[in-house]
Amino acid sequence: MEHDRVRTRAWVLHPDLKSDRDRRDPGPALEEAVALAAALPDLDVIGSDVVRLAKAQPGHLFGSGKIEELDAKLKAADVELVLIDGPVTPVQQRNLEKAWKVKILDRTGLILEIFSDRARTREGVLQVEMAALSYQRTRLVRAWTHLERQRGGLGFVGGPGETQIEADRRAIDEQLVRLRRQLDKVVKTRELHRTARAKVPFPIVALVGYTNAGKSTLFNRLTGAEVMAKDMLFATLDPTMRRVQLPDGPEVILSDTVGFISDLPTELVAAFRATLEEVLAADLIVHVRDISHASTEEQAQDVEAILTSLGVDDSRARLEVWNKLDLLEEDPRAAMRTRADRDPDVFAISALTGEGLPALLAAVAEKLQGVRREERLHLAFSEGRKRAWLFEQDLVQSEEQTEDGFDITVLWTARQEAQFAAL
Ligand SMILES: Nc1nc2c(ncn2[C@@H]2O[C@H](COP(=O)(O)OP(=O)(O)OP(=O)(O)O)[C@@H](O)[C@H]2O)c(=O)[nH]1
Ligand SMILES: [Mg+2]
């Protein structure tokens, strides 16, 4: 007998909606949905299908013929959970659960489950809980008319259904307020850490990118750290930071972050905003892409859109990394190198074999040089503490003593200048 946790037999469906303007290539989309499902422990993905649809049916999402056909399949495979890779309304969910006698989870629900499984820090746990509750709250509202009918109420305002929904909603709101308070406390503690970190002289370099692009592998390779790098979506959730000495360059702080994905639930973006914004307040953003992936262009666009929504604009120093070069055949690999070479801000690499890393590191050093400006300061003798800080941070290029103090030439980033001003 097995004594490990009960495993759930799951099936993945990707609705391919003809009416969807942002329709994704169904093959890779289904593959990604299966990988998402596999990212949850205790799930066995038995099978998967793309379901072509002219448009979503309000009641059951799929047409009746399709529902019967799938019913037979699901029964034969003894499926208990169906993951639908897209939005499913509460009404559609109920109806499909009844028709197939299975549990239904939609894409947002699945991503929330994964995040909840991965969260390690107190902050991460609280953020995921808040996101899940906010999501539940929207489902309550939309389920309302349906519940009214279920309970046989007349459906006018003030009926028994509304009272129940109102009560549920209030309970969620109260819980959200409690979580928010706890989170604020955690964030305050972290701010203390951040102030400590602000004293660190090094420029900050943030690795961002689509989930599974290879950020943690690159991070590990550059820092010698053992951050979980796995062929698993959302392996990394909480940001990790490490010091790295660039060859022929400054020491920097490298940060690894949670991966992005298309249709990232808005509740999650909202919940993780504070953490992400802090990470993204870096001096240099390095966008890591899996260049061997069939949907690499779409993934890059999704990442760009999320970065923009988080307030990272074109003014920020940026590099793009085309990772997993080793997975390409020889000819496309050579072509990719040539294409990357044409753009001074693009680097083709393999985090696995180490190919292309020296050039990338040199570019990081050079970019950081670019974001640093030279400035002349005059400090009075009484400002010894400030002067000491500049030396501690290794920002001083040259110094001359004058009658009333020091003329100092510094080389610093805007972030370092702001730190100096706050002293
Ligand atoms: N062949 C090859 N595989 C790579 C390379 N870089 C990363 N991988 C693999 O890709 C998978 C994902 O790598 P991770 O480093 O965990 O990706 P990530 O971007 O940190 O993913 P999340 O934390 O989920 O956002 C792992 O199986 C890695 O071994 C590479 O250059 N070549
Ligand atoms: Mg990672």
Side-chain angles (χ1 to χ4, degrees):
M1 272 310 291
E2 284 194 4
H3 289 278
D4 44 355
R5 290 188 281 180
V6 185
R7 304 191 61 84
T8 302
R9 296 169 68 82
W11 199 279
V12 178
L13 296 176
H14 173 75
D16 180 26
L17 278 162
K18 280 209 201 80
S19 56
D20 189 355
R21 272 187 297 115
D22 308 316
R23 185 172 166 203
R24 302 169 64 199
D25 191 353
L30 179 66
E31 212 174 288
E32 179 182 287
V34 170
L36 266 178
L40 265 188
D42 311 328
L43 275 195
D44 283 329
V45 180
I46 309 293
S48 62
D49 284 296
V50 169
V51 184
R52 256 168 280 281
L53 273 174
K55 68 178 184 36
Q57 306 292 324
H60 285 79
L61 180 59
F62 308 117
S64 53
K66 201 70 206 172
I67 288 184
E68 266 173 46
E69 180 192 324
L70 285 167
D71 187 43
K73 247 192 205 178
L74 299 174
K75 288 245 155 46
D78 206 9
V79 169
E80 307 161 79
L81 175 72
V82 175
L83 299 160
I84 301 184
D85 185 33
V88 179
T89 68
V91 174
Q92 291 165 341
Q93 176 175 351
R94 265 192 78 93
N95 289 339
L96 286 174
E97 284 180 344
K98 259 171 91 183
W100 291 338
K101 311 263 181 322
V102 296
K103 229 194 123 9
I104 302 274
L105 200 60
D106 73 354
R107 184 179 174 91
T108 297
L110 176 58
I111 293 175
L112 285 172
E113 286 285 344
I114 297 171
F115 270 65
S116 139
D117 180 69
R118 295 283 184 282
R120 290 289 172 270
T121 63
R122 181 95 189 101
E123 186 175 6
V125 170
L126 287 169
Q127 284 168 324
V128 176
E129 262 178 56
M130 286 187 70
L133 273 175
S134 312
Y135 181 59
Q136 261 180 33
R137 193 183 189 284
T138 66
R139 315 270 305 164
L140 278 183
V141 177
R142 275 190 268 137
W144 177 52
T145 38
H146 169 72
L147 283 179
E148 273 295 313
R149 241 179 285 128
Q150 271 271 309
R151 284 161 208 232
L154 295 173
F156 45 72
V157 180
E162 191 210 31
T163 316
Q164 187 51 46
I165 292 296
E166 284 298 320
D168 289 352
R169 204 191 292 172
R170 218 170 15 248
I172 288 184
D173 284 342
E174 280 161 16
Q175 180 63 7
L176 277 172
V177 169
R178 265 197 298 278
L179 287 174
R180 163 58 53 201
R181 252 189 236 125
Q182 289 174 30
L183 188 61
D184 284 346
K185 246 188 242 159
V186 176
V187 168
K188 271 215 189 81
T189 324
R190 192 168 44 86
E191 259 162 19
L192 295 178
H193 295 164
R194 179 165 45 187
T195 324
R197 197 160 62 224
K199 294 211 184 82
V200 173
F202 320 117
I204 295 177
V205 178
L207 299 179
V208 303
Y210 209 79
T211 181
N212 222 39
K215 299 176 294 297
S216 297
T217 307
L218 181 59
F219 182 85
N220 286 343
R221 178 120 204 158
L222 298 178
T223 62
E226 302 250 326
V227 172
M228 176 152 103
K230 271 196 166 173
D231 193 8
M232 185 201 254
L233 301 188
F234 300 118
T236 309
L237 201 54
D238 300 304
T240 318
M241 303 211 171
R242 277 289 160 87
R243 278 166 65 162
V244 178
Q245 172 68 56
L246 295 177
D248 311 317
E251 220 170 331
V252 300
I253 301 247
L254 191 64
S255 85
D256 184 18
T257 52
V258 56
F260 300 156
I261 195 163
S262 51
D263 303 324
L264 194 65
T266 47
E267 289 88 358
L268 266 180
V269 177
F272 277 79
R273 190 167 206 104
T275 315
L276 281 171
E277 274 173 352
E278 180 189 327
V279 173
L280 297 178
D283 296 295
L284 173 64
I285 304 263
V286 176
H287 177 180
V288 181
R289 293 176 52 185
D290 176 353
I291 207 66
S292 73
H293 198 284
S295 307
T296 186
E297 291 302 329
E298 289 85 347
Q299 293 183 343
Q301 282 165 20
D302 285 332
V303 169
E304 292 297 332
I306 293 167
L307 285 177
T308 307
S309 79
L310 288 167
V312 177
D313 58 19
D314 294 343
S315 68
R316 191 75 61 81
R318 284 263 203 119
L319 288 177
E320 196 171 297
V321 165
W322 293 355
N323 189 34
K324 307 201 188 180
L325 202 57
D326 59 290
L327 289 180
L328 298 179
E329 301 289 333
E330 207 167 304
D331 286 350
R333 198 188 317 157
M336 208 55 92
R337 276 197 207 101
T338 313
R339 264 179 63 197
D341 285 346
R342 249 181 255 141
D343 188 329
D345 289 342
V346 173
F347 292 84
I349 68 155
S350 164
L352 209 63
T353 67
E355 172 181 359
L357 289 188
L360 171 64
L361 288 177
V364 169
E366 199 188 305
K367 264 284 182 220
L368 288 173
Q369 201 62 36
V371 300
R372 292 200 284 184
R373 287 181 304 108
E374 220 178 61
E375 196 157 351
R376 280 174 71 86
L377 307 173
H378 181 78
L379 292 183
F381 284 122
S382 59
E383 295 176 294
R385 207 171 64 84
K386 286 188 170 179
R387 179 169 164 259
W389 186 86
L390 292 173
F391 276 98
E392 265 166 41
Q393 313 280 322
D394 204 18
L395 300 175
V396 179
Q397 297 288 100
S398 63
E399 176 187 69
E400 263 172 58
Q401 193 169 338
T402 64
E403 272 169 20
D404 59 343
F406 296 95
D407 279 335
I408 302 177
T409 307
V410 294
L411 183 65
W412 59 15
T413 66
R415 202 174 48 82
Q416 290 168 323
E417 182 177 353
Q419 283 170 24
F420 179 76
L423 281 181

